[in-house]
Amino acid sequence: MHELVHPQAGAGWASRLQLRYMHEQGRTRAWHLHEGALRVLAALYPEGDAVCHHVLVHPPAGMAGGDSVRMELELQPGAHALLTTPGATRFYRSLGGTASQTLHARVAEGARLEWLPLESLAYEDCIAENRAVFELAPGAEMLAWDMLALGRPAAGDLFGRGSFTQHLEIPGVWLERGRIDGADRLLREAPGGLDGQAALGTLVLAAGTPLVAARREALLETARALVESPPEGVRAGVTSPQPGVLVLRAMAQRIEPVAQCLRTVWAAWRTQAWGLPACAPRVWNT
């Protein structure tokens, strides 16, 4: 892991968080170092010693232009970590600077990562980038999702101005990068774009080694069966762009049914791929 770097004066609020997970005598142990507001709660073990649950807490509860959050995760061989957040990450109005959130995760052989934060909320006039890079060693696996809500329709914020850039990457294997400009009506409203939908979700199951064809097809069939009858208002589909990557995409007018869809498939994939029953973090119900 890299040394923490102090932000330059005038660059906005910066937070850094380093997390390392080690598997020792059947237990996943965690070490962390933080600078700024972002930090972790105590390690929780609701499903036994093998899986460490962490809730990442950012007390400001939002980011403005120029603010940055950087997270670095390292999972050593055999470790299993599940990370989530207690609430949405809010990207507020910017006066010109970019608010950025960056995740860089390295997952070693035999380790498992579950990256399951709650949604990002893009307010009108924000300028934001959310970047996540996952390096998976041979034998490593992960379940990760990203959810985005554009504006606050109930409050009259329709995200008609501003921009949000999303970057999801497994280096050398899979890259998905896109920019949503609130003023781009063609992108926002056309059937070939977002078709008027304001909530988006992506769930990824990925492995550092290509999945055996029979296993991959079984996982795809499970997800496709579940999204045949998605929550009301949700449009969803699942594909396998690479032999070691499965991707579920969903969109709707509101984020709640998108989250419900992703959680349902996450629970099924977790059980089918890893033989582990779903163990939803308690903060999801608060």
Side-chain angles (χ1 to χ4, degrees):
M1 288 189 176
H2 304 294
E3 293 296 325
L4 295 176
V5 178
H6 291 273
Q8 295 180 352
W13 292 99
S15 293
R16 305 288 193 273
L17 176 65
Q18 296 177 337
L19 280 161
R20 182 181 298 134
Y21 297 91
M22 300 79 67
H23 186 255
E24 300 173 351
Q25 298 180 344
R27 183 178 178 88
T28 295
R29 300 184 182 276
W31 169 93
H32 70 272
L33 177 66
H34 74 89
E35 176 182 314
L38 183 66
R39 60 196 64 198
V40 297
L41 297 179
L44 305 173
Y45 294 88
E47 51 188 318
D49 288 349
V51 185
C52 177
H53 287 222
H54 263 154
V55 179
L56 305 187
V57 180
H58 189 237
M63 300 172 64
D67 292 350
S68 66
V69 168
R70 179 174 178 83
M71 296 162 284
E72 296 181 13
L73 310 181
E74 179 187 340
L75 278 73
Q76 296 183 356
H80 186 163
L82 184 156
L83 296 95
T84 190
T85 58
T89 298
R90 292 170 169 81
F91 291 91
Y92 295 125
R93 177 174 179 265
S94 170
L95 296 178
T98 299
S100 64
Q101 177 172 273
T102 303
L103 168 72
H104 192 170
R106 300 178 180 87
V107 188
E109 180 181 1
R112 293 170 176 169
L113 169 64
E114 296 179 80
W115 174 249
L116 308 172
L118 298 189
E119 70 273 11
S120 297
L121 177 55
Y123 283 59
E124 194 148 275
D125 288 312
C126 78
I127 302 174
E129 179 169 4
N130 190 24
R131 179 185 181 93
V133 178
F134 304 93
E135 296 184 17
L136 304 177
E141 296 193 1
M142 77 167 190
L143 281 162
W145 70 35
D146 180 83
M147 296 183 284
L148 171 64
L150 297 170
R152 299 169 298 157
D157 175 358
L158 303 179
F159 198 68
R161 301 182 304 274
S163 67
F164 192 95
T165 300
Q166 177 67 61
H167 180 112
L168 301 172
E169 180 182 4
I170 302 172
V173 177
W174 177 71
L175 171 64
E176 185 167 297
R177 181 178 174 87
R179 179 178 179 271
I180 298 173
D181 186 332
D184 187 342
R185 295 189 61 184
L186 184 63
L187 171 65
R188 296 292 305 280
E189 299 176 8
L194 301 182
D195 199 18
Q197 307 302 301
L200 314 172
T202 302
L203 170 66
V204 181
L205 188 158
T209 303
L211 298 171
V212 175
R215 185 185 182 208
R216 183 173 69 251
E217 287 302 316
L219 290 164
L220 284 170
E221 289 178 8
T222 294
R224 287 169 177 161
L226 290 171
V227 301
E228 281 184 0
S229 301
E232 184 176 357
V234 173
R235 306 178 194 178
V238 61
T239 60
S240 179
Q242 293 285 349
V245 181
L246 280 68
V247 181
L248 167 71
R249 295 180 178 86
M251 63 181 184
Q253 287 286 355
R254 298 180 299 108
I255 196 63
E256 292 83 3
V258 170
Q260 181 183 345
C261 179
L262 267 59
R263 290 178 188 181
T264 298
V265 177
W266 160 75
W269 274 352
R270 191 181 205 258
T271 299
Q272 185 174 357
W274 297 342
L276 296 174
C279 185
R282 187 176 299 176
V283 294
W284 291 357
N285 298 320
T286 59

